[in-house]
Amino acid sequence: MAKPRIEFVCQSCGAVAPRWQGRCDSCGAWNSLVEETVGAPSRSAGKGRVFALFDLGTATLPPPRTTTRIDEFDRVLGGGLVPGSVLLLGGEPGIGKSTLLIQVCGALAAQKRRVVYISGEEAIDQVRLRAERLGLVRAGVEFAAETKVEDVVATLHEGPAPALLVMDSIQTMWTGTVEAAPGTVTQVRGAAQALIRYAKTTGASLILVGHVTKDGQIAGPRVVEHMVDAVTSFEGEGGRDFRILRALKNRFGPSNEIGVFEMTGRGLVEVANPSALFLSHHGEATPGIAVFAGMEGTRPLLAEIEALTAASPLGTPRRAAVGFDPNRLAMILAVLEARAGLRLGQHDVYLNVAGGLRINEPAADLAAAAALVSSFSGRSLPPHCVFFGEIGLSGAIRPVAHSMARLKEAAKLGFTRAVVPPANPEPREAGPENMATKSCPEVADLVALIASPERPAKADGR
Ligand code: TYD
Ligand code: MG
């Protein structure tokens, strides 16, 4: 047998170096290399047929799904858990990952499916206390506090494969096949590999919990992200009770869906109508607040964009954005200045998406611009009005997708007007009743609309 080798593995990206160095050549992280001992790689016999080859043209059915009946969870996965698939759930400590997963386990167990929850972090009593609080002690979830994957896999092979296996968390798991210390990249990768092999061969769905570092990366095992079928993150804003489950990668479904939950004294509760959650000033006339009719994945979502502009005492005014891309903010400010003559150059500008939501859609440009113009001019926006549209560098407002879904969601929540891009190429379907749309071809028109003493009281017929 070949002798074990020593190598230095970057704990941040998994790159291997032959000797220690202060900085990883691959990802540039400092002090991230850790000495690890690796065993000799196993050699396959190299003779005979080991596996079957398939014709790619053979028709396959879409993967069957196991629905948990927690809709917000199922939707993010693309319609439920896919048997034999592996999901990585990342999130900061204390955000509610264990709570979410024990509820998912409970929901599946209630459908008389075998569910196994392995905790490497908490003792049996802690997990039982939480389950009691959630009313799930008698749900029939099988539980163990264990950290060695070989033991877990051997124990599971004793019975039928579970419909769902949860490993909380992957950083606490270790395998006897590699000699590195627990928590190192080599260990985490080795443990994940063994578990993924178990899931793929038995058809059990596997969920791995992963901690994230402060900058939002799944700590250590970035490598694990490449080994799994789907990566989701569970996020929340400090001090607020709602939590967002976001798909970051999904081999079996869309990767831009979100699920919204609220953390209550009795666990996580689904929020079926999240738009209402992210609107607070609905109806009040405060300058600097615009409502954006957005889309998160397949679902429309209304969000409030707040802007504050104030004359700056500084030579270089401050520009800050929370929940909004700072580069897009800079672009919108430049377009407002160049195309609509808004003199924001000597003003501090703050832009915030209320409720801790993050907006990545260019369609939010028009709403952001409306909030900025409103704050700058001190004039509040028309009441019960939503905005959407992308702003081009020429100042033109570009059409965006899903305008009908946006309008319908706004109408559902009691909004009666919408400022939209001109000639949105949508099927000529009639818009929602009681919704007056006003088309806005240029940013200058937006400024005129907000500054004009006469409010767009009537629809322009579009
Ligand atoms: P937890 O699921 O342990 O977080 P994670 O696994 O991501 O570290 O959740 C911990 C927090 O959730 C803790 O601060 C208490 C809170 N919580 C509730 O508010 N209500 C509940 O019913 C439960 C179980 C937890
Ligand atoms: Mg936990």
Side-chain angles (χ1 to χ4, degrees):
M1 207 180 116
K3 271 198 294 183
R5 282 177 294 121
I6 286 181
E7 59 187 27
F8 294 85
V9 181
C10 171
Q11 299 301 301
S12 149
C13 71
V16 178
R19 63 191 72 80
W20 191 85
Q21 48 202 45
R23 185 165 190 237
C24 171
D25 284 339
S26 176
C27 69
W30 287 96
N31 284 330
S32 64
L33 263 59
V34 166
E35 179 179 326
E36 294 185 6
T37 314
V38 285
S42 69
R43 292 211 179 85
S44 63
K47 252 190 252 155
R49 184 170 142 163
V50 184
F51 55 86
L53 290 162
F54 297 96
D55 179 5
L56 254 186
T58 317
T60 42
L61 297 169
R65 305 270 181 174
T66 311
T67 51
T68 63
R69 301 192 189 152
I70 299 179
D71 290 342
E72 295 292 305
F73 182 78
D74 288 341
R75 177 157 20 75
V76 172
L77 301 190
L81 291 159
V82 176
S85 72
V86 185
L87 168 78
L88 180 66
L89 173 69
E92 285 173 23
I95 203 75
K97 300 181 293 298
S98 305
T99 308
L100 175 68
L101 291 178
I102 201 85
Q103 287 185 252
V104 167
C105 287
L108 276 177
Q111 301 174 40
K112 299 279 170 282
R113 290 176 179 274
R114 183 173 185 218
V115 187
V116 178
Y117 184 103
I118 308 284
S119 176
E121 306 208 324
E122 293 166 304
I124 296 192
D125 285 340
Q126 272 175 292
V127 178
R128 188 172 294 131
L129 267 176
R130 181 184 297 118
E132 236 163 57
R133 187 169 170 186
L134 301 170
L136 292 171
V137 256
R138 264 170 278 281
V141 178
E142 294 173 60
F143 173 78
E146 193 54 61
T147 55
K148 188 174 178 191
V149 288
E150 281 79 21
D151 293 353
V152 172
V153 170
T155 308
L156 289 177
H157 271 309
E158 296 279 286
L164 172 64
L165 168 64
V166 173
M167 303 298 289
D168 189 359
S169 66
I170 187 61
Q171 277 100 344
T172 55
M173 300 296 152
W174 63 284
T175 163
T177 59
V178 297
E179 279 182 35
T184 56
V185 166
T186 308
Q187 266 299 351
V188 167
R189 183 167 43 197
Q193 254 157 7
L195 291 164
I196 291 170
R197 202 175 312 123
Y198 173 78
K200 298 284 173 202
T201 51
T202 59
S205 296
L206 171 65
I207 299 183
L208 304 172
V209 175
H211 292 298
V212 300
T213 53
K214 281 190 211 83
D215 54 358
Q217 306 287 11
I218 294 188
R222 296 250 33 202
V223 277
V224 177
E225 292 187 21
H226 304 295
M227 298 160 64
V228 299
D229 299 307
V231 180
T232 56
S233 82
F234 204 37
E235 304 165 2
E237 188 71 1
R240 298 289 298 259
D241 286 335
F242 67 84
R243 303 279 183 272
I244 296 176
L245 182 67
R246 199 181 283 276
L248 304 176
K249 149 182 168 175
N250 195 347
R251 281 187 191 148
F252 300 115
S255 59
N256 51 2
E257 286 287 355
I258 64 166
V260 184
F261 296 88
E262 193 176 349
M263 181 64 94
T264 69
R266 310 199 63 235
L268 291 156
V269 177
E270 295 177 68
V271 178
N273 189 350
S275 290
L277 198 68
F278 298 115
L279 298 175
S280 53
H281 297 83
H282 187 173
E284 277 173 44
T286 316
I289 296 179
V291 178
F292 167 49
M295 294 294 291
E296 282 284 351
T298 57
R299 188 162 57 161
L301 181 71
L302 299 192
E304 228 164 51
I305 300 186
E306 307 172 327
L308 180 66
T309 60
S312 178
L314 306 170
T316 314
R318 265 186 73 90
R319 263 89 227 258
V322 179
F324 198 87
D325 180 0
N327 292 327
R328 280 210 92 80
L329 170 62
M331 191 206 77
I332 294 167
L333 290 173
V335 173
L336 283 174
E337 181 132 18
R339 311 290 176 202
L342 223 65
R343 304 219 156 272
L344 283 159
Q346 290 308 311
H347 281 66
D348 288 335
V349 175
Y350 303 91
L351 196 73
N352 177 44
V353 181
L357 203 66
R358 264 194 290 134
I359 294 180
N360 301 319
E361 260 194 299
D365 291 353
L366 191 62
L372 289 165
V373 174
S374 164
S375 170
F376 185 68
S377 64
R379 303 184 64 93
S380 57
L381 295 170
H384 310 295
C385 182
V386 296
F387 295 82
F388 62 85
E390 181 182 345
I391 296 179
L393 289 180
S394 67
I397 314 295
R398 298 202 190 111
V400 297
H402 308 295
S403 63
M404 203 48 73
R406 298 174 198 268
L407 291 174
K408 281 184 181 155
E409 176 78 0
K412 206 167 86 191
L413 281 144
F415 288 83
T416 53
R417 304 160 206 238
V419 178
V420 304
N424 226 350
E426 281 276 315
R428 288 265 155 224
E429 189 190 336
E433 273 176 49
N434 307 327
M435 175 61 76
T437 55
K438 166 95 187 151
S439 83
C440 180
E442 301 271 338
V443 282
D445 300 310
L446 177 76
V447 174
L449 179 96
I450 296 168
S452 75
E454 197 194 341
R455 283 284 140 73
K458 285 193 297 266
D460 66 351
R462 279 195 74 252

